[in-house]
Amino acid sequence: MHTRFVSCFSLILACWLLPAVSNAQTKNVLMIAGPPSHGYGSHEHYAGLKVLEESILASTGAIKVNVVRGWPEDKDLIDAADSIVIYCDGGKRHVAMEHRDELKAKLSEGCGLVCLHYAVEMVPGEPGDDWVEMLGGHFEINWSVNPHWVGEFKTLPDHPIAAGVSPFEADDEWYFHMRFKEGGKITPILAAVAP
């Protein structure tokens, strides 16, 4: 299941970055990992990003990946990033909580933003509003839900992100009822109903 998830996510990320790497210039992806929080084998932020880095580098030579622990002290890493991937705890412990203005400025230059799992959760209020603006939505505590169940995906849409992905099932913690940007355009790729 883990290999299938990493392959599926790598495909999603590669398709998302495809327009950016269509020219000959190497693109820089900065991956920011939060500290461990849930015990061994769960929410392994740094290790998870290293596995994703290996998968991306094995699939293309047109992307340079930097994986760092915590918000980078070296501002050059942020300046060089064409896309920023964040994998960390959400809420008050979010690694970008105190760096939202810096992130907004970087995104205004055309930088991409990807948040994995818990990193889509931001504190309601101004931080949450910032995440909705920058990411298009977020997991909002006491609004969104996150049960564990086996999601079964028996068919996949005719969409570039799903190209080459076979039907699968995965036992995971699924987020839904997200707080999305009003009037924003959402393109669902996979859908499942909680038991």
Side-chain angles (χ1 to χ4, degrees), residues 148-188:
H148 284 259
W149 86 86
V150 176
E152 295 183 18
F153 305 99
K154 296 179 180 180
T155 61
L156 289 101
D158 182 19
H159 190 282
I161 288 176
V165 179
S166 300
F168 66 97
E169 64 180 47
D171 184 358
D172 208 338
E173 177 182 15
W174 303 98
Y175 289 3
F176 63 94
H177 201 242
M178 307 286 280
R179 178 74 73 185
F180 289 111
K181 184 175 184 175
E182 288 187 33
K185 183 178 178 187
I186 307 277
T187 303

Side-chain angles (χ1 to χ4, degrees), residues 58-161:
S59 68
T60 179
I63 298 176
K64 179 181 177 189
V65 180
N66 287 304
V67 182
V68 298
R69 288 183 164 106
W71 197 263
E73 293 181 17
D74 183 354
K75 190 173 177 336
D76 290 344
L77 290 173
I78 298 287
D79 290 343
D82 295 299
S83 184
I84 297 173
V85 177
I86 302 175
Y87 184 29
C88 66
D89 281 356
K92 293 178 182 176
R93 296 181 302 212
H94 202 291
V95 74
M97 179 63 76
E98 303 303 322
H99 304 280
R100 295 188 326 272
D101 288 340
E102 182 180 359
L103 195 51
K104 283 183 210 175
K106 183 63 183 170
L107 297 183
S108 74
E109 298 170 3
C111 181
L113 176 63
V114 175
C115 288
L116 305 178
H117 194 48
Y118 200 179
V120 301
E121 181 183 320
M122 192 51 81
V123 174
E126 186 178 342
D129 293 345
D130 287 346
W131 230 228
V132 168
E133 188 59 37
M134 288 187 277
L135 196 59
H138 78 111
F139 182 98
E140 182 179 305
I141 193 75
N142 299 322
W143 168 267
S144 303
V145 291
N146 60 324
H148 284 259
W149 86 86
V150 176
E152 295 183 18
F153 305 99
K154 296 179 180 180
T155 61
L156 289 101
D158 182 19
H159 190 282
I161 288 176

